[in-house]
């Protein structure tokens, strides 16, 4: 087992432009989602200087992870995965735009509903992406 066996096989990224776009888009979206989490927490801290409100936002962010995580998989199994993925991605983008507009406008309070909706879309989108039918078996690495 040489060095080649230790490295990640990027053959599917080279062979399939669709998979490459899906992978790059997922990576950028995941990075943006994590930046949103940190930005909201930082904004609440800067606005209130209250650990209680910062913790409340943390609870609002983790609640969809627990709640949607259990049920999103069964929803994904009963609907078209591509449509579900697109709807949740658009939902996450709209929520992020609403949070950005709120940040640019100034002292408009962050609504918990937008934070919960953002996280719900993020969790549901991850479930749709990680479901087994998302990629064809012929693109899987050999071995």
């Amino acid at each position: 087992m040489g060095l080649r066996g230790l490295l990640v096989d990027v053959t599917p990224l080279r062979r399939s432009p669709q998979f490459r776009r899906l992978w790059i888009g997922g990576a950028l979206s995941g990075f943006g989602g994590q930046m949103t989490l940190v930005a909201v927490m930082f904004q609440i801290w800067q606005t209130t200087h209250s650990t209680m409100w910062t913790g409340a936002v943390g609870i609002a962010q983790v609640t969809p992870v627990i709640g949607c995580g259990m049920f999103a998989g069964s929803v994904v199994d009963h609907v078209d995965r591509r449509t579900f993925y697109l709807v949740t991605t658009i939902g996450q983008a709209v929520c992020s735009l609403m949070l950005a507009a709120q940040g640019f406008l100034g002292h408009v309070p962050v609504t918990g509903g937008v934070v919960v909706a953002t996280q719900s879309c993020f969790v549901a989108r991850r479930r749709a992406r990680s479901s087994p039918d998302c990629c064809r078996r012929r693109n899987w690495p050999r071995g």
Side-chain angles (χ1 to χ4, degrees):
M1 180 172 167
L3 183 62
R4 189 168 179 85
L6 297 174
L7 299 176
V8 175
D9 182 19
V10 294
T11 304
L13 291 172
R14 282 185 281 143
R15 281 190 188 159
S16 173
Q18 296 90 357
F19 181 70
R20 186 172 39 245
R21 286 192 296 267
L22 176 71
W23 190 86
I24 291 171
L28 290 175
S29 180
F31 181 70
Q34 295 303 315
M35 275 184 32
T36 301
L37 291 175
V38 173
V40 168
M41 294 289 273
F42 182 72
Q43 180 183 8
I44 293 298
W45 175 254
Q46 289 294 321
T47 305
T48 64
H49 294 289
S50 168
T51 55
M52 183 187 78
W53 283 111
T54 307
V57 169
I59 290 171
Q61 290 175 343
V62 78
T63 301
V65 173
I66 296 167
C68 289
M70 291 188 289
F71 303 111
S74 61
V75 172
V76 168
D77 289 339
H78 289 86
V79 297
D80 180 43
R81 284 180 174 87
R82 180 183 166 117
T83 305
F84 188 78
Y85 184 80
L86 290 174
V87 167
T88 54
T89 301
I90 290 169
Q92 188 178 10
V94 167
C95 291
S96 294
L97 287 174
M98 288 171 55
L99 287 171
Q102 180 272 331
F104 286 125
L105 291 176
H107 288 79
V108 179
V110 175
T111 60
V114 176
V115 173
V116 170
T118 303
Q119 277 301 97
S120 298
C121 289
F122 181 73
V123 170
R125 185 182 59 81
R126 284 186 57 119
R127 284 288 185 194
R129 187 169 183 241
S130 65
S131 61
D133 290 345
C134 199
C135 302
R136 292 198 174 111
R137 189 163 186 81
R138 64 184 166 91
N139 291 330
W140 291 1
R142 296 175 197 262

